[in-house]
Amino acid sequence: MERIHELIKQLNVVCCETGIEGHHRIEQLILTLDNLLVEAQQLNLEFDEREYPDPPKHNYAEIRAQIAPNFPKFGLYNCAAEIDGNIGESKLSVGDSIGDIVEILNDLYDISWRFENTSAGDAFFYFELGFRSHWGRHARELQLYIHNYYW
C-alpha cells in the first residue's frame, strides 16, 4: 500500500513538472491514473478511529495555473449529465480536462499529507472515500477524454 503514496508523488511530477515531452507526459498520465485506480480497487482497510486535524487547503487557481501549460491541447469535453437514468435522453454537461486533473490532485494532495502527518490507515480511508465519492469520477471521465483525444 506504500505504492499509493509513491503514485501520488508520480502524478504530481507528471502534471506539474516542466521538461517532460508532451507525448510522454500524456502516456505517463494515463499509466499513473490507471495504477491509482487499480490501487483503489485493492484496498483492504483497517479503519483508524483516532481524531486527526484536517489537511491544509490548496489553492485551486494556483494548481490550475501550474498544470495548464503542461497540457496545452487539453480542453472542455461533453459528458452525460445522467448515466443511469433517462437512457437515450440524458442531457449533456461539460467536463473540463484540466479541472479534472486539479480536482484529482487536490484530493490526492490531502491523502499525501495524511500519509506524512497522520497514519497510513487514515490516508487509506480517505483515499478510498475520495475515490468513491469524488476523485474517482474525475479520473474516469478524464480517462475517457484522453482516450478519445489521444487515440
Side-chain angles (χ1 to χ4, degrees), residues 4-12 36 108 111-112 115:
I4 292 172
H5 197 197
E6 291 305 314
L7 287 168
I8 293 169
K9 292 176 186 177
Q10 182 178 340
L11 184 65
N12 185 61
L36 282 163
L108 296 182
I111 305 311
S112 186
F115 273 115

Side-chain angles (χ1 to χ4, degrees), residues 22-23 26 67-76 97-98 145 149-150:
H23 184 74
I26 294 169
I67 292 168
N70 294 329
F71 299 93
K73 294 184 180 180
F74 277 27
L76 302 177
S97 56
I98 299 297
Y145 171 79
Y149 161 81
Y150 186 70

Side-chain angles (χ1 to χ4, degrees), residues 5-42:
H5 197 197
E6 291 305 314
L7 287 168
I8 293 169
K9 292 176 186 177
Q10 182 178 340
L11 184 65
N12 185 61
V13 168
V14 167
C15 295
C16 299
E17 298 294 321
T18 59
I20 302 171
E21 296 294 325
H23 184 74
H24 182 67
R25 184 184 304 275
I26 294 169
E27 288 176 343
Q28 289 300 308
L29 176 60
I30 292 167
L31 181 61
T32 306
L33 285 174
D34 284 347
N35 286 328
L36 282 163
L37 292 165
V38 167
E39 291 295 323
Q41 296 298 318
Q42 297 178 346

